[in-house]
Amino acid sequence: MPLKLFCCDECIPERQNHVYVKEEGEDTTQFLPLSNIETIPGSLSERGCSYCGAKLVIGGVIKDCIQMIHGPVGCAYDTWHTKRYPSDNDNFQLKYIWSSDTKEKHIIFGAEKQLKKAIKEAFKEFPEIKRMFVYTTCTTALIGDNPKAVCREIEEELGDVDIFVVECPGFAGVSQSKGHHELNIGWMRDKVGTLEPEITSKYTINVIGDYNIQGDTYVLQKYLDKMGIQVIAHFTGNVTYDQLRCMHRAKLNVVNCARSAGYIANELKRVYDIPRMDVDTWGFEYVKVALRKIGAFFGLEDKAEEVISEEVAKYEGKLAWYKERLKGKQICIWTGGPRLWHWTKALEDDLGMEVVAMSSKFGHQEDFEKVIARGRVGTIYIDDGNELEFFEVLESIHTDLILTGPRVGDLVKKLHIPYINGHAYHNGPYMGFEGAVNMARDMYNAIYSPMWSLAGKDPRVVDSPMWSLAGKDPSVVQEL
């Protein structure tokens, strides 16, 4: 089938190159949707900006840093409290956000003095914190501020602090993916190799592309501890600034989210010759494969099997219970990039569900190659989808559930379609064996919630199911 043009896109026909419906025997290289290019004017994109990709996705997760946003206060607020990445230091990184709070006068006369003042104030207010990330934003990049020079002055003046500058304003790329890339490459260039770790095991790894969403990191760490493997750094879940400086001492880079963090794995391979191993840590069967691959690399196959046996014994029966009730349910996955291809086969193979539509905000060509290869015939694939396209998809297919973010999720709830937060989860963690069960439980609860039978019912109608749910006598209620 050729690439598809939605009716809502007739005024912007270029969108046809971004939508594909898979058919049997088609050459996916011929019909691969265009991706990672500028949003077409007139399309209401769901993408985030490049600064957001750097701060919200990667940098803001680090647990012992001041996160200084050099720009208007709105840029700081918009990337605060929107992700659920806890830490074991009382969630310091979730509690606070810092901004240089640039105003119109700073845009006219320069904001470097304002940045210096804000940095010194932040370190004074939090004397126990000695590490900082500084991010440029659109306004401060456009006026030509030099935050690196400012930060060098601060480091020399204070002596015991270390500051990393991320120069990735919102307009730097077509989506948040540019922010991922800039932070990866910048950290590798400026910070990796500047500190030596304490080595406690001859088996050392970096876990790359894991952001401890609702405790994902804790799950993976538990498996690796049981196998006797030392994690030098998680990039960047529940990690410290200094642990990330030591990434050059790992013997293996295990990559989960390849889109947001594959860049630093490639650089570690190029500079330090550390092998890269890509794994899937969402999905019951995928986790088994991941642990076996890691075990085989270090000659720890027996340890890997011990962990797998222990976890399967605890969770296989629970997953089977949900599979019986979720089998055949149809779902849409409208998320960022790699979760499309991480989740599609896991949900279909582990739970017997059917993925009928997918949309990626910032996926690249290789992401679509993977997800289309793993996906079913008849599935709709969309790059940089907009709300009108989503509504049109929902008119053409049946879906029981949508995995997406809260913004689109709030829209589909108005159509009485349940959704699960595909960005920050509902009740995670979702990685690992227990995570697969948690995700199945959340999907089951969403689909089978009795509230959906009441959605759209008028409570003023006395024979409405709402009355029986409340245990009321309609005649009595009518009199009242």
Side-chain angles (χ1 to χ4, degrees):
M1 168 175 231
L3 297 169
K4 180 179 178 61
L5 179 66
F6 288 113
C7 294
C8 63
D9 291 331
E10 289 178 353
C11 58
I12 42 175
E14 300 95 329
R15 283 294 300 163
Q16 179 174 354
N17 295 320
H18 295 260
V19 183
Y20 167 64
V21 182
K22 184 174 180 178
E23 283 199 358
E24 194 72 55
E26 286 187 341
D27 182 355
T28 55
T29 60
Q30 180 181 356
F31 294 111
L32 203 63
L34 292 181
S35 59
N36 194 39
I37 60 176
E38 292 182 357
T39 296
I40 300 169
S43 178
L44 184 60
S45 175
E46 293 287 334
R47 286 172 167 172
C49 71
S50 299
Y51 149 73
C52 176
K55 193 275 174 185
L56 177 64
V57 177
I58 303 178
V61 189
I62 301 169
K63 66 183 180 182
D64 66 341
C65 287
I66 292 171
Q67 302 282 333
M68 178 63 67
I69 316 306
H70 185 35
V73 70
C75 294
Y77 184 80
D78 190 52
T79 55
W80 182 43
H81 275 187
T82 57
K83 277 289 185 77
R84 304 170 182 176
Y85 30 61
S87 65
D88 57 11
N89 67 336
D90 200 28
N91 301 318
F92 175 81
Q93 77 288 354
L94 294 179
K95 293 180 178 179
Y96 307 101
I97 191 68
W98 297 263
S99 172
S100 61
D101 192 23
T102 55
K103 307 289 189 184
E104 184 177 359
K105 64 179 180 180
H106 304 121
I107 304 308
I108 296 171
F109 297 109
E112 290 182 4
K113 291 182 180 179
Q114 179 75 359
L115 174 61
K116 186 173 183 178
K117 176 185 175 183
I119 291 174
K120 294 179 74 171
E121 286 182 353
F123 277 128
K124 182 179 179 181
E125 290 297 321
F126 296 88
E128 73 283 3
I129 302 297
K130 303 296 183 182
R131 303 292 181 259
M132 178 182 287
F133 271 55
V134 174
Y135 303 84
T136 57
T137 57
C138 294
T139 51
T140 52
L142 284 169
I143 64 175
D145 273 1
N146 187 351
K148 287 190 175 181
V150 173
C151 292
R152 281 196 299 268
E153 291 179 11
I154 295 288
E155 288 175 331
E156 292 174 4
E157 183 177 338
L158 299 183
D160 59 347
V161 302
D162 201 286
I163 306 174
F164 175 61
V165 179
V166 186
E167 293 190 287
C168 190
F171 59 75
V174 300
S175 73
Q176 56 262 58
S177 182
K178 179 65 173 179
H180 307 155
H181 179 267
E182 289 298 323
L183 193 150
N184 276 236
I185 300 303
W187 185 264
M188 181 69 195
R189 179 190 62 237
D190 297 343
K191 298 301 178 182
V192 171
T194 60
L195 190 68
E196 292 298 323
E198 178 184 355
I199 301 299
T200 59
S201 170
K202 60 181 180 179
Y203 313 113
T204 58
I205 68 171
N206 295 314
V207 179
I208 293 177
D210 149 41
Y211 305 109
N212 201 31
I213 300 174
Q214 290 203 33
D216 281 342
T217 299
Y218 304 148
V219 174
L220 302 181
Q221 185 70 52
K222 176 179 64 176
Y223 300 158
L224 296 167
D225 286 344
K226 290 179 179 180
M227 293 174 65
I229 297 173
Q230 178 187 358
V231 178
I232 300 295
H234 289 268
F235 190 88
T236 53
N238 193 44
V239 77
T240 68
Y241 185 103
D242 285 349
Q243 285 172 340
L244 290 171
R245 296 165 67 190
C246 302
M247 294 178 74
H248 60 296
R249 291 306 181 199
K251 294 180 180 177
L252 175 67
N253 290 317
V254 176
V255 179
N256 187 63
C257 183
R259 178 51 46 231
S260 65
Y263 313 105
I264 197 168
N266 292 341
E267 287 298 291
L268 287 164
K269 169 64 176 174
R270 183 182 66 84
V271 178
Y272 296 102
D273 200 29
I274 304 173
R276 168 177 172 166
M277 177 185 291
D278 286 53
V279 300
D280 293 85
T281 54
W282 289 289
F284 213 78
E285 294 302 320
Y286 279 152
V287 181
K288 294 180 186 178
V289 174
L291 293 177
R292 285 170 178 149
K293 287 170 67 175
I294 297 170
F297 181 87
F298 289 115
L300 298 172
E301 292 91 340
D302 291 344
K303 291 287 187 180
E305 293 302 327
E306 288 177 11
V307 173
I308 292 170
S309 297
E310 179 182 345
E311 296 298 313
V312 167
K314 284 194 288 187
Y315 296 109
E316 189 174 42
K318 296 178 181 179
L319 191 72
W321 190 92
Y322 288 114
K323 180 176 182 178
E324 185 64 29
R325 291 153 180 82
L326 294 174
K327 188 186 306 179
K329 296 297 182 183
Q330 296 182 327
I331 61 172
C332 299
I333 305 176
W334 296 342
T335 55
R339 290 190 190 180
L340 274 67
W341 52 265
H342 280 299
W343 283 350
T344 179
K345 287 293 285 180
L347 297 178
E348 291 184 346
D349 293 349
D350 289 353
L351 297 170
M353 305 179 81
E354 299 177 9
V355 180
V356 294
M358 302 187 196
S359 177
S360 171
K361 290 183 180 181
F362 55 82
H364 293 205
Q365 292 288 279
E366 58 263 38
D367 296 308
F368 276 101
E369 289 174 359
K370 291 176 183 178
V371 71
I372 291 174
R374 292 183 176 188
R376 302 164 57 89
V377 169
T379 301
I380 303 170
Y381 300 90
I382 309 173
D383 166 67
D384 190 20
N386 60 58
E387 293 172 7
L388 294 179
E389 291 173 348
F390 293 153
F391 290 143
E392 194 165 328
V393 168
L394 294 175
E395 289 175 355
S396 65
I397 64 169
H398 166 78
T399 184
D400 298 291
L401 176 74
I402 299 176
L403 295 168
T404 188
R407 184 165 49 189
V408 177
D410 286 341
L411 289 174
V412 300
K413 282 194 294 186
K414 294 178 181 179
L415 301 177
H416 310 152
I417 301 172
Y419 97 98
I420 293 295
N421 191 332
H423 298 159
Y425 309 162
H426 266 39
N427 299 285
Y430 283 176
M431 285 187 184
F433 297 99
E434 65 187 87
V437 174
N438 291 341
M439 190 174 185
R441 177 205 59 212
D442 283 353
M443 291 190 293
Y444 169 82
N445 287 340
I447 293 172
Y448 287 98
S449 170
M451 293 303 296
W452 295 114
S453 65
L454 304 179
K457 303 294 184 181
D458 189 341
R460 296 168 296 181
V461 178
V462 295
D463 60 351
S464 167
M466 289 185 176
W467 297 113
S468 60
L469 185 71
K472 301 288 187 180
D473 180 345
S475 60
V476 174
V477 174
Q478 194 173 29
E479 290 177 6
L480 293 175

